[in-house]
Amino acid sequence: MSDAFDLNALPADLLYAPEQDMWVRLQADGTVVLGATHLIAQHGQFMYFSPRPVGTTVARDRSLGVMETAKTAIAIHAPLSCTILAANEAVQQDVSLVTRDAYGAGWLFRVQPTAWDAERPALMEAAAYRAWLATRLDRFAPPVEDRPPDDFGRFY
C-alpha cells in the first residue's frame, strides 16, 4: 500500500467528511479549519487552487472552490454549511502543499460554521473514517494509463 493509501496517516484529532475526503478542525474560537485528506492526491498533481471569495456563505455539499490538475478540475465540496473567513494564500501560491502537508500547511479554508450542531453528526472520528475507507479503497485505483496491460496488451 502506498503512502497515499496509508489509513494510519489520518490524524486522530480531526473530524472527517467521508464523501468529500475533507478534514475538519474545530478551533477554540468556534471557527473551523478545513483541508483535503491525503487521499485527494489520487486525483493527480494539482496545478491550481481557486477558492470562492472570502465572505461567501456556502451550504453543505456546495462548492467552496476548485483545484485543477493537468487533466481535470475538482470541485471542493463543503463538509458543512459555512461562511468563508479565509482561504490559504500559501496554497494559492503553491498548491502542492495540499499533497505535501495535507494536515498542516496545506489547509484550504478557515470558515465560520452556520449549522454546526445540526451537521456535526455527519462528520466522522478518525477510526470511523478509516473503517469507512477500508471498504472503498478500490475507488482510489491508479488511472488506467498507470496500470500495466494484461497478457493480451489490454488495460484492465
Side-chain angles (χ1 to χ4, degrees):
M1 184 181 297
S2 73
D3 288 344
F5 290 74
D6 183 4
L7 299 183
N8 293 318
L10 297 167
D13 63 333
L14 301 176
L15 296 172
Y16 297 89
E19 296 296 332
Q20 297 89 1
D21 290 320
M22 296 284 289
W23 56 263
V24 174
R25 179 181 293 128
L26 181 63
Q27 303 295 109
D29 64 0
T31 63
V32 168
V33 175
L34 304 175
T37 70
H38 68 288
L39 301 170
I40 203 80
Q42 295 307 299
H43 289 288
Q45 181 179 353
F46 290 108
M47 302 173 71
Y48 183 70
F49 169 54
S50 178
R52 292 187 71 187
V54 169
T56 301
T57 298
V58 179
R60 184 175 180 268
D61 282 329
R62 304 302 293 180
S63 178
L64 288 165
V66 175
M67 289 195 309
E68 296 180 9
T69 69
K71 296 181 182 182
T72 189
I74 314 296
I76 304 164
H77 294 282
L80 48 90
S81 300
C82 59
T83 300
I84 299 172
L85 302 175
N88 188 341
E89 290 185 24
V91 170
Q92 291 177 64
Q93 298 300 314
D94 180 8
V95 74
S96 70
L97 283 172
V98 173
T99 53
R100 286 193 337 251
D101 190 9
Y103 305 104
W107 63 272
L108 299 175
F109 296 94
R110 189 170 55 83
V111 301
Q112 181 64 57
T114 58
W116 178 258
D117 291 336
E119 294 174 349
R120 164 56 184 97
L123 301 173
M124 294 182 172
E125 304 286 333
Y129 185 47
R130 275 187 207 100
W132 184 88
L133 280 171
T135 62
R136 292 165 175 82
L137 283 178
D138 59 329
R139 80 179 198 189
F140 296 109
V144 170
E145 61 270 13
D146 291 347
R147 297 182 205 159
D150 64 14
D151 291 338
F152 300 102
R154 298 177 303 212
F155 291 97
Y156 51 93

